[in-house]
Amino acid sequence: MPEPLHLLVVDDDTGVLDLLRRYFTGQGFTVSTAADGAGMHTVLARQPVDLVLLDLGLPGEDGLELTRQLRRNWDGALIILTGRGESVDRVVGLELGADDYVTKPFELRELLARVRSVLRRSAPTAGNPGKQDEATFRFADYCLDPLGRTLRNGHGDAIALTTGEFELLRVFVEHPNRVLSRDDLMGRTHGRGASSFDRAIDVQIARLRRKIESDAANPELIKSVRGAGYLFAARVQTVR
């Protein structure tokens, strides 16, 4: 029987910590909690964690800086929680590598759906017999392997992608030379009905361009189509 997935909730509100601990434990997760960045790093150093729920509004600490620290030293799934009205924090959080965001106050069922969606997208598929024959994709000087969830350049070097970046690139290689709207991209990466705002996809596109384009300011692979969305202009070869 597989081990329960492990969530780490980082929030200074003890009521929120207790609520989320009880709720997610009841949903079959193992849950750890921390009230600040130091506690977060202590838990991560002590045991494997599958996903961090990080409140950006920690008093005396910059939640965005903690997001930056996580992405420098840890490659698990990350959802940011924010009660701030401005969308700028969500945008910056996504730019720094968060996989998703949830605005406070939130519905527990929506948060659970977001957690499950991110974990599903970040989970390796090697143990799924139905995925064993999944194709790899070659484009430009890269090879994308959905089974191993890796992107490698022509030298064989792995290029680190967040869950969101990986799923976005996967959608592009599966639909080359086709204009995809922001809504279409959000639906294909987060599931139909996912709530979003246009800047969320734009932010992930910008991050992905910085990793695969030779000149992110003048992209040749992921092209913007004014008023319509984005088009993946590379020639894609499917290898089974």
Side-chain angles (χ1 to χ4, degrees):
M1 187 173 181
E3 290 290 325
L5 293 171
H6 188 181
L7 305 187
L8 169 57
V9 184
V10 185
D11 198 302
D12 66 299
D13 187 328
T14 56
V16 170
L17 292 181
D18 184 58
L19 173 66
L20 294 184
R21 181 196 297 110
R22 288 186 287 106
Y23 180 72
F24 280 101
T25 298
Q27 296 296 324
F29 293 86
T30 296
V31 182
S32 295
T33 61
D36 52 29
M40 176 186 75
H41 289 302
T42 297
V43 174
L44 290 173
R46 188 175 61 221
Q47 55 194 305
V49 171
D50 297 291
L51 183 144
V52 171
L53 288 170
L54 174 64
D55 180 22
L56 291 187
L58 298 175
E61 293 189 85
D62 186 346
L64 294 175
E65 174 57 28
L66 291 177
T67 300
R68 186 180 291 108
Q69 292 172 16
L70 279 173
R71 278 302 172 230
R72 281 201 301 261
N73 305 304
W74 183 73
D75 60 1
L78 171 63
I79 296 178
I80 56 177
L81 304 176
T82 175
R84 301 168 183 173
E86 296 291 333
S87 65
V88 62
D89 292 320
R90 289 174 280 170
V91 172
V92 175
L94 291 169
E95 287 177 338
L96 293 175
D99 296 301
D100 204 348
Y101 66 89
V102 175
T103 304
K104 292 181 177 181
F106 48 77
E107 292 286 340
L108 287 172
R109 286 180 296 179
E110 179 189 356
L111 181 58
L112 175 63
R114 296 293 188 96
V115 166
R116 285 177 170 166
S117 176
V118 169
L119 287 171
R120 184 168 56 248
R121 289 183 280 128
S122 63
T125 57
N128 187 340
K131 296 290 186 177
Q132 293 299 326
D133 60 348
E134 190 162 5
T136 59
F137 301 91
R138 298 185 184 277
F139 65 94
D141 194 34
Y142 300 100
C143 178
L144 183 73
D145 176 10
L147 188 62
R149 298 191 67 83
T150 59
L151 175 67
R152 296 186 181 276
N153 61 23
H155 300 290
D157 301 322
I159 298 170
L161 299 177
T162 67
T163 298
E165 292 163 1
F166 184 92
E167 289 303 320
L168 191 58
L169 181 56
R170 179 172 177 164
V171 170
F172 278 132
V173 299
E174 290 177 344
H175 303 84
N177 300 301
R178 172 180 166 184
V179 176
L180 298 172
S181 69
R182 292 178 177 86
D183 286 343
D184 197 15
L185 289 169
M186 181 61 74
R188 291 177 185 274
T189 56
H190 289 72
R192 296 297 173 184
S195 59
S196 65
F197 60 108
D198 285 352
R199 282 287 288 145
I201 286 295
D202 294 341
V203 165
Q204 289 193 327
I205 293 286
R207 289 207 323 256
L208 188 55
R209 279 173 169 166
R210 289 196 291 269
K211 294 183 178 182
I212 68 172
E213 299 277 5
S214 56
D215 181 1
N218 297 285
E220 295 295 327
L221 299 176
I222 305 175
K223 293 184 175 291
S224 300
V225 181
R226 188 177 179 84
Y230 294 96
L231 179 144
F232 194 64
R235 178 177 177 272
V236 178
Q237 179 185 8
T238 303
V239 181
R240 292 191 180 275

